[in-house]
Amino acid sequence: MYGDIRLLGGTSTPDLAREISDYLTSPLCGRDIIEFPNENLFVRLHASARGQDVYVIQTTSMPVNRNLMELLITLQTLKLDSAARVTAVIPYMCYSRSDKKDQPRVPITARLVADMIEVAGADRYITIDLHAGQIQGFFSIPGDVLTAFHLVSDYFLTKRAAMVDPVIVTADLGFAKKGRNFAAKLNTSMAFVEKRRTGSDAHAEAMMVIGDVAGKDVIIVDDEVDTGGSVTQAVDIVRQHGARDIYLSFVHPVLSGPAIERLRSLNVKEIVTTNTIPIPPDKQLPNMTVLSVAPLLGEVIRRAHEGRSVGELFNE
Amino acid sequence: MYGDIRLLGGTSTPDLAREISDYLTSPLCGRDIIEFPNENLFVRLHASARGQDVYVIQTTSMPVNRNLMELLITLQTLKLDSAARVTAVIPYMCYSRSDKKDQPRVPITARLVADMIEVAGADRYITIDLHAGQIQGFFSIPGDVLTAFHLVSDYFLTKRAAMVDPVIVTADLGFAKKGRNFAAKLNTSMAFVEKRRTGSDAHAEAMMVIGDVAGKDVIIVDDEVDTGGSVTQAVDIVRQHGARDIYLSFVHPVLSGPAIERLRSLNVKEIVTTNTIPIPPDKQLPNMTVLSVAPLLGEVIRRAHEGRSVGELFNE
Amino acid sequence: MYGDIRLLGGTSTPDLAREISDYLTSPLCGRDIIEFPNENLFVRLHASARGQDVYVIQTTSMPVNRNLMELLITLQTLKLDSAARVTAVIPYMCYSRSDKKDQPRVPITARLVADMIEVAGADRYITIDLHAGQIQGFFSIPGDVLTAFHLVSDYFLTKRAAMVDPVIVTADLGFAKKGRNFAAKLNTSMAFVEKRRTGSDAHAEAMMVIGDVAGKDVIIVDDEVDTGGSVTQAVDIVRQHGARDIYLSFVHPVLSGPAIERLRSLNVKEIVTTNTIPIPPDKQLPNMTVLSVAPLLGEVIRRAHEGRSVGELFNE
Amino acid sequence: MYGDIRLLGGTSTPDLAREISDYLTSPLCGRDIIEFPNENLFVRLHASARGQDVYVIQTTSMPVNRNLMELLITLQTLKLDSAARVTAVIPYMCYSRSDKKDQPRVPITARLVADMIEVAGADRYITIDLHAGQIQGFFSIPGDVLTAFHLVSDYFLTKRAAMVDPVIVTADLGFAKKGRNFAAKLNTSMAFVEKRRTGSDAHAEAMMVIGDVAGKDVIIVDDEVDTGGSVTQAVDIVRQHGARDIYLSFVHPVLSGPAIERLRSLNVKEIVTTNTIPIPPDKQLPNMTVLSVAPLLGEVIRRAHEGRSVGELFNE
Amino acid sequence: MYGDIRLLGGTSTPDLAREISDYLTSPLCGRDIIEFPNENLFVRLHASARGQDVYVIQTTSMPVNRNLMELLITLQTLKLDSAARVTAVIPYMCYSRSDKKDQPRVPITARLVADMIEVAGADRYITIDLHAGQIQGFFSIPGDVLTAFHLVSDYFLTKRAAMVDPVIVTADLGFAKKGRNFAAKLNTSMAFVEKRRTGSDAHAEAMMVIGDVAGKDVIIVDDEVDTGGSVTQAVDIVRQHGARDIYLSFVHPVLSGPAIERLRSLNVKEIVTTNTIPIPPDKQLPNMTVLSVAPLLGEVIRRAHEGRSVGELFNE
Amino acid sequence: MYGDIRLLGGTSTPDLAREISDYLTSPLCGRDIIEFPNENLFVRLHASARGQDVYVIQTTSMPVNRNLMELLITLQTLKLDSAARVTAVIPYMCYSRSDKKDQPRVPITARLVADMIEVAGADRYITIDLHAGQIQGFFSIPGDVLTAFHLVSDYFLTKRAAMVDPVIVTADLGFAKKGRNFAAKLNTSMAFVEKRRTGSDAHAEAMMVIGDVAGKDVIIVDDEVDTGGSVTQAVDIVRQHGARDIYLSFVHPVLSGPAIERLRSLNVKEIVTTNTIPIPPDKQLPNMTVLSVAPLLGEVIRRAHEGRSVGELFNE
């Protein structure tokens, strides 16, 4: 219906693109992506995309602005080349945390990014676990916002029996509602780590745990780990409150700045994440398990291409 | 800079419009809003709006679709009449809870409403406490999303001294983060009511309280009360857990269906809300305190008209 | 070419939707359309519409604003669900009489409705007998504006032989040109009822008949009957001028307010209309003939889906 | 509010532009409008329009497509020159008769013209007596659609006393409703000329008069005279029916092809029209009265510029 | 993929349309293109274009504004008739020389033309040798900008052997870069004709030749010849500098005003051009060779229709 | 007319912003521009921009994509903060060389950048010496494209008397036409350096000089120097052809990769450029003269703010 399927991988996540290509037994098409000495990016397709149903696989991890620009230029190239339909497959959507004006005179950059993806020529987009589900409403084009929840929770389900009275803990109250889904699926109790400013000093904060963690195995869940600050505080405070084994689970391994050193020194039992962002070898820790989202993305691309339901697959 | 200021009140909230008009000592302009026997609405301005800076005050409470359509027709009338700038002042934004696709094959109606307000001709909008702050990103036009938080929390602050070890409780985990702001301002602890499906029966749910409420005065906070189901369950469960006096606080008194009967039978100490939605006399309870958002809206309209900062007023 | 055909019926006109479904031997797809206690509408499709060619059948009769909003939400749901093409099938288009500014400071609501249908996600629309043909120019998307003229005039053709010197009469000068098409097809003469304000009293109006009706069978034709006021006056005045049997013919049975009581008391020979708007049992009169537009809509949907000419079918 | 006023006259109607300029005591600004040998048009402003409130006066009479293109290029030039607001003043709007699809597979060129005016950069438009009022709904930008009705009917009012039982006649049923306004204002009766195809021959038409004209002075009213065919037939048939003096009245003197010869040979008492389209000396007949729309346009431009009501002036 | 192919020829270039039709063995579809006495154009398709992949072949040569308007009306007609995809095939794009503001307060008419083509309903466009390649960036829709370079240079290649030390000369420094492609392909040297204002008199210009032409065969290349002024000056000056045989080569034979008389009196060896603009018999000179772009356009239409690469065919 | 003026400097060109601020005696407003560890940029204004006429000064030099993104986020922040008008002041526009598809399947990134600037919320833009003037046509918003030609040529005029028979040389045929303006203003002759591929080896190129340089002082002019490759070749070849003193002149000092080493080793007499891009101390050469565009930008901002002509200042 939409011409032949065609996969195009950007430079940000070559391994994931290859995995998806293997899943679909459809090759990644040839393209040059050149960065000139003046840092201007340039894209050239080896073969015409005219009349094809193209999926551009490009995550927007660091270098963020360069990777985003590369995505946009690729989308425009395809549109100008008269592709029949262009879908931006963005495993990790940058600037998702800038999703509302929680103070005056600041941007809503996630909306800007959505606008840019549209103006560059995308007809649709596919992404995973947006920081807020509402970001889907920032787009005028349709999209499939997938979740790695099943992937991650299924993994913990296999470990559930061996755990001692596990409890789901969220390090951020904004993630409380999603945390409940983990607790429901794994049939555990919940607790929340809360941060509160203390006294008149703007920088003095007290951590507290709401709910019971003493003597329990703790799974701290979040959507992403950036510098690792919150998760470090959360691990500290649940330890102080008598937690047993501690697991970390997050979908997007942003891992910027001091994150890896922090995660290493936390000495938690296991860190479970995914490959929505590639983790370079020097950031891979022995206790880190990286689940692949390639089958998820591959299957959704196949169904989107064939005009079949995506929802029936991933929702219970 | 934008021509003369002009206030136009729709039919949904005449008292609030009059209060704002009084605050600004600027009259509500004459207009006919007619509903024909075939239910088609019709708007006619008594005087020209050409070159003026117009503020249309219309909340989108019940009858929801009629009130929304009246707002849109009024906006288009003003645009076609060559108003210089048209601002939709919508104290309560309908369909705000339909703000994301949390299941497949459903709408994001809040985005549709934003699109409709824009296509009808609004240049800007002003609203209060959106269900999710991200909805601001659904609009392409600028807007001022105000909060009644200061109004409500200031009110409780005057009662704080007389309370016994008060605790802020949220009835919905999605409101947890905003609940924390109340706790911080009133310097109280927090607790959460959580609902969980039990066993295999889809309809069996267990309520639980995370955090401590025994022997404490409880303030249950939320953004709106619709049918009153969640808040009734929350009151029941915190009572079972030994709460002392219970207060309810919510910004938007939607109060649909059985809400008033439920609130009446709860026998809580006090119900604090605002007039973003008019409460008809037969729904006003003796223990209900209705704070007016008119000064808030009036001041923001004045500043928007004069091109002065809104943020410096309402953010600390 | 556009994926599989799929029919989706809204809540406003279930019988017509079923008739169309029968005509096309294509089932109506499952969907939930829920009105919550707070009057917010919600739509959920039972199966994915991805890649399909969907026709949403929803008339915008009373409750007008609710039915319109239901249509818009359904359109957006389908767009977000990645339907290949979405056609709004709207047998009766609300607000069509608000199609120009015939006085200053009023809306052109029909344009607003067109804009809303587009912004909600319709790719095309199909409707019947717009109040003014120019409304087609309000849409940026293509559409098929059909006419029930052939349906209705063919019906009268079967009765033509038994009539005594029939004359076509229009109750509104704005319908004069369309009335002529009836007169041409039935080979009759024409007359016009004209209303004129008399003297200085704004409410005093005189009716007059231009043309000859004495001793003739009269067919009064119009596009819709709303409250029935004009048609009642027209029947009275042609009776005063000596008309014989009187027939009423109109496409859209809006029938609001006192319409049915008026029509009942007119005692005309026959009232001929269609089912672009469903007529509830208590509004069905013994002398009323309701012709079905289902074959017309069904055939046009089929041809639109197959990419075949619609015009060659319905134009001579 | 919109910067200084600035008038710019195109090449199509220099006299009218000068009259408006005189009315407003505001000079026409200098500009070059060049047609190169390859027929490409070129516009150059003598002075900057930056921040000004510009009114481009250009009618779209013959040469139609050239005059339209000149208008569009001028609008774009002003937009690119950062004018604060650009209003297209188009006394006669071309292609207005192509305002609906009254047969399949034809354009709605009036909508196309509206789109072109918008895309070229107009913020507003002013025009006179559109062929159908609904064309206003083809624009997304606001506009003032004026009428020469008052100008023309006031003129006839001065002659009313001297007329013998005058009757308003419309040559086209589509103008019947507007004809009524003349009849009401002049307090006359009405009649209609109707054209009907006869027999099987597509070209054989019979004219008939509905209503009474015998022994009466007849004023035939229409919005424009193009080739003069309809008006010639109307004069013939009312003469055959015994009309006394015959007057013609129409707003837009398109006067294409054989029009002038036809009008000359009609030998009517008086032909009343306006200067929305300039009438070259060789087309001016001795019995022709041309009323100037310059004061109407001038006053509306003044009020639009000053942000004052236009409607209060021209509507009763 | 895009429905059946359908060719529609406008009135500007009937021979070329027929050649393309022959190349593709696909008939030109029936249509009426009528110019009414009032110069308003009207288009009516003989058969429905619903769901088809339509190519409108219309060059925008003189009469320029009329031909452009005919193109736009045809595009809108097709869009309103629900064509699946509409491609404007414009061998010569008018107003291409107005492509930048090289002085203040002038238009960029080529951008306006691009906007008009889009707003009229084109999904794609095909054109040949735009005056500046950047004009492709004026369109938001994709397009194929072809070049007659291969056609023309191949023709000269067949004559190359017989030439004496040929040199490519450009008459306009703006064409210098494209001239180099000719020199490279034909393996010749290059020279430039330069025009310089002399002294204080704005109209006194001196021509000079940069590079060597004495004793050489000269091929003067340009993209179009309009009035022929530049090319005449170029021939004169290279003759003065001792050139041997002189050839002229240009893609678009605009040939306005005195062009033909000038070309005739130049007495050059051969004038090579194409049929992007039809040359009427009275403008055809004995030493003129007109190469047909029909195979080029036909092949690109075929490939665009079939979703195959265009670039692989025409770029080395 | 547009509220108070307000200057906001981005991080890319703080010195130039300060110079402009000094020129206008208007302070740079306070803002935070933060780069988080995850490279996401964040902007926060210290004071409200509501109703103001804001000029964002940000060049898009290296780091290109980061600087561009900072510009876009700043524009959106201002739009959401209800600034009255936002002008992007971009001394050097990145990606300007990607302005056309000179081969198939490549982007037109300059158009994408224009679209992004618009979608982010700019109402206008100001820039200097675009690589091609046509890029102005990529924007739908108005803009002022300035030139440093007067600045640079005036500088050389002061040196003209001391030069020996100077000749203007362009290193790129695409710059030939602009080079002529230098030659005309300085009253010199011209020559061109041309590059041609030789033989079958794609990488073998021969340089040649068209025109005469022997014994003359040479001024090589271009719009920018990127890696310095072309300019190095040009210096070499004119030296080989006997040039006397050599000057380089270019507006935009991109100076990427090996540029500075190349320029240093060229040993030309003087290198004249501007500060549209800041040159870090380690890239400043002893023979380099940097002219400031601050007065040019400052004056244009003043005039744009006051609604006065810009063209009358900078065009003769």
Side-chain angles (χ1 to χ4, degrees), chain D residues 130-267:
Chain D
L130 287 168
H131 179 61
Q134 287 87 351
I135 292 174
Q136 192 161 8
F138 292 5
F139 288 88
S140 298
I141 52 174
D144 295 308
V145 179
L146 312 174
T147 179
F149 169 74
H150 301 288
L151 187 68
V152 173
S153 57
D154 283 352
Y155 178 78
F156 276 104
L157 220 42
T158 66
K159 312 207 142 197
R160 175 71 175 83
M163 289 186 182
V164 175
D165 193 9
V167 54
I168 297 292
V169 170
T170 65
D172 176 358
L173 279 183
F175 201 69
K177 208 160 184 176
K178 284 190 185 157
R180 194 173 58 184
N181 294 337
F182 278 90
K185 177 143 176 201
L186 299 175
N187 193 24
T188 71
S189 61
M190 283 199 80
F192 306 99
V193 172
E194 215 233 323
K195 206 178 302 181
R196 180 96 53 93
R197 223 180 289 163
T198 57
S200 54
D201 180 355
H203 295 287
E205 284 181 336
M207 303 298 292
M208 58 188 88
V209 177
I210 303 174
D212 198 17
V213 300
K216 301 183 175 199
D217 282 352
V218 164
I219 308 172
I220 299 176
V221 293
D222 213 338
D223 58 344
E224 72 175 49
V225 164
D226 181 1
T227 61
S230 300
V231 99
T232 298
Q233 291 177 311
V235 168
D236 287 349
I237 191 78
V238 297
R239 265 210 184 110
Q240 289 168 26
H241 282 68
R244 258 183 109 265
D245 286 346
I246 302 176
Y247 298 79
L248 297 187
S249 170
F250 50 90
V251 176
H252 303 300
V254 177
L255 304 180
S256 67
I260 278 303
E261 281 326 297
R262 282 174 169 164
L263 288 187
R264 195 190 310 272
S265 64
L266 281 182
N267 273 317

Side-chain angles (χ1 to χ4, degrees), chain E:
Chain E
M1 180 163 45
Y2 296 107
D4 294 333
I5 197 171
R6 187 166 182 194
L7 303 179
L8 192 158
T11 63
S12 66
T13 184
D15 292 344
L16 178 61
R18 209 169 310 119
E19 277 187 71
I20 294 173
S21 165
D22 289 346
Y23 183 91
L24 293 167
T25 59
S26 172
L28 293 169
C29 65
R31 84 293 186 270
D32 299 322
I33 297 178
I34 299 167
E35 181 168 331
F36 291 120
N38 65 1
E39 294 183 2
N40 282 15
L41 297 165
F42 181 72
V43 172
R44 186 169 40 212
L45 310 178
H46 290 182
S48 174
R50 198 174 285 265
Q52 300 180 345
D53 185 25
V54 189
Y55 295 81
V56 180
I57 302 160
Q58 168 84 338
T59 204
T60 50
S61 55
M62 292 181 276
V64 169
N65 299 304
R66 186 216 164 284
N67 281 346
L68 176 59
M69 194 67 191
E70 180 192 313
L71 170 65
L72 300 172
I73 295 174
T74 306
L75 293 171
Q76 194 219 34
T77 303
L78 287 160
K79 176 181 148 200
L80 291 181
D81 193 39
S82 300
R85 192 171 71 159
V86 182
T87 300
V89 180
I90 310 168
Y92 173 70
M93 187 81 79
C94 61
Y95 286 102
S96 277
R97 298 208 152 197
S98 177
D99 63 352
K100 61 174 171 291
K101 287 180 65 172
D102 45 13
Q103 53 179 310
R105 306 188 284 278
V106 297
I108 305 180
T109 313
R111 170 64 196 250
L112 175 61
V113 168
D115 286 341
M116 286 159 69
I117 289 169
E118 287 181 40
V119 89
D123 297 297
R124 300 186 72 261
Y125 68 97
I126 294 173
T127 190
I128 297 179
D129 282 305
L130 288 167
H131 179 60
Q134 288 86 351
I135 292 173
Q136 193 162 8
F138 292 5
F139 288 88
S140 298
I141 50 173
D144 295 307
V145 179
L146 311 175
T147 179
F149 168 73
H150 302 288
L151 187 68
V152 174
S153 57
D154 283 352
Y155 178 78
F156 277 102
L157 220 43
T158 65
K159 314 204 140 198
R160 175 71 175 81
M163 290 185 183
V164 175
D165 193 11
V167 56
I168 296 292
V169 170
T170 66
D172 176 358
L173 278 183
F175 200 71
K177 211 160 183 177
K178 285 190 184 158
R180 192 174 58 184
N181 294 337
F182 277 89
K185 177 143 176 199
L186 299 176
N187 194 24
T188 71
S189 62
M190 281 200 80
F192 307 98
V193 171
E194 216 232 324
K195 208 178 299 181
R196 179 93 55 91
R197 225 181 285 165
T198 58
S200 56
D201 180 353
H203 295 287
E205 284 181 335
M207 302 299 292
M208 57 189 87
V209 177
I210 304 176
D212 198 15
V213 300
K216 301 182 175 199
D217 282 352
V218 164
I219 308 173
I220 299 177
V221 293
D222 213 337
D223 58 344
E224 72 176 49
V225 164
D226 181 2
T227 61
S230 300
V231 99
T232 298
Q233 291 178 310
V235 167
D236 287 349
I237 192 79
V238 298
R239 266 211 184 107
Q240 290 168 25
H241 281 69
R244 258 181 109 264
D245 287 345
I246 302 176
Y247 298 78
L248 297 187
S249 170
F250 48 90
V251 176
H252 303 299
V254 177
L255 305 180
S256 67
I260 278 302
E261 282 326 299
R262 283 173 169 165
L263 289 187
R264 196 189 310 272
S265 63
L266 282 181
N267 274 317
V268 297
K269 179 92 171 190
E270 187 174 358
I271 299 172
V272 178
T273 186
T274 80
N275 60 347
T276 59
I277 296 173
I279 305 178
D282 60 304
K283 288 192 175 176
Q284 289 172 7
L285 301 178
N287 60 341
M288 192 181 271
T289 301
V290 182
L291 305 172
S292 177
V293 295
L296 173 63
L297 289 171
E299 187 59 26
V300 167
I301 290 172
R302 171 179 292 151
R303 286 164 175 257
H305 175 64
E306 294 172 352
R308 288 160 53 210
S309 172
V310 164
E312 72 181 32
L313 185 66
F314 301 105
N315 292 272
E316 59 267 58

Side-chain angles (χ1 to χ4, degrees), chain F residues 61-137:
Chain F
S61 55
M62 294 181 278
V64 169
N65 300 303
R66 186 214 164 284
N67 281 346
L68 176 59
M69 193 69 190
E70 181 193 312
L71 171 64
L72 300 173
I73 295 174
T74 306
L75 292 172
Q76 194 219 33
T77 303
L78 287 160
K79 177 182 146 197
L80 292 182
D81 194 38
S82 301
R85 193 172 67 159
V86 182
T87 300
V89 181
I90 310 168
Y92 173 70
M93 188 81 78
C94 62
Y95 287 102
S96 278
R97 298 205 154 201
S98 176
D99 61 353
K100 60 173 171 291
K101 287 179 66 171
D102 46 12
Q103 53 178 309
R105 305 190 285 276
V106 297
I108 304 179
T109 312
R111 168 67 196 248
L112 175 62
V113 168
D115 286 339
M116 286 159 70
I117 288 168
E118 287 181 41
V119 89
D123 297 297
R124 298 186 74 260
Y125 67 98
I126 294 172
T127 190
I128 297 179
D129 282 308
L130 288 168
H131 179 60
Q134 289 87 349
I135 292 174
Q136 191 160 6

Side-chain angles (χ1 to χ4, degrees), chain C residues 81-206:
Chain C
D81 194 37
S82 301
R85 192 171 72 159
V86 182
T87 301
V89 181
I90 310 169
Y92 173 70
M93 187 81 78
C94 61
Y95 286 101
S96 277
R97 297 207 154 200
S98 176
D99 61 354
K100 62 173 171 291
K101 286 181 66 172
D102 45 13
Q103 53 179 307
R105 304 189 286 276
V106 297
I108 304 180
T109 312
R111 169 67 196 248
L112 175 61
V113 168
D115 286 341
M116 286 158 71
I117 289 168
E118 285 181 43
V119 88
D123 297 296
R124 299 186 72 259
Y125 67 97
I126 294 173
T127 190
I128 296 179
D129 282 307
L130 287 168
H131 180 59
Q134 288 87 350
I135 293 173
Q136 192 161 6
F138 292 5
F139 287 87
S140 298
I141 51 172
D144 296 307
V145 179
L146 312 175
T147 179
F149 169 74
H150 301 287
L151 188 69
V152 173
S153 58
D154 282 352
Y155 178 79
F156 276 104
L157 219 45
T158 66
K159 311 205 141 197
R160 175 71 176 80
M163 289 185 181
V164 175
D165 193 10
V167 55
I168 297 292
V169 170
T170 66
D172 176 357
L173 278 184
F175 201 69
K177 210 159 183 177
K178 284 189 185 160
R180 193 175 56 183
N181 294 337
F182 277 91
K185 176 144 177 198
L186 299 176
N187 193 22
T188 71
S189 62
M190 283 200 77
F192 306 99
V193 172
E194 215 233 324
K195 211 179 298 181
R196 179 97 53 91
R197 222 181 287 162
T198 57
S200 56
D201 180 355
H203 294 288
E205 285 181 334

Side-chain angles (χ1 to χ4, degrees), chain C residues 267-283:
Chain C
N267 273 318
V268 297
K269 181 93 171 188
E270 186 173 359
I271 299 170
V272 178
T273 187
T274 80
N275 60 348
T276 58
I277 296 173
I279 306 177
D282 61 303
K283 287 193 176 175

Side-chain angles (χ1 to χ4, degrees), chain B residues 42-59:
Chain B
F42 182 71
V43 172
R44 186 168 40 211
L45 309 178
H46 290 183
S48 175
R50 197 174 287 263
Q52 300 180 346
D53 185 26
V54 190
Y55 296 82
V56 180
I57 303 161
Q58 168 83 338
T59 204

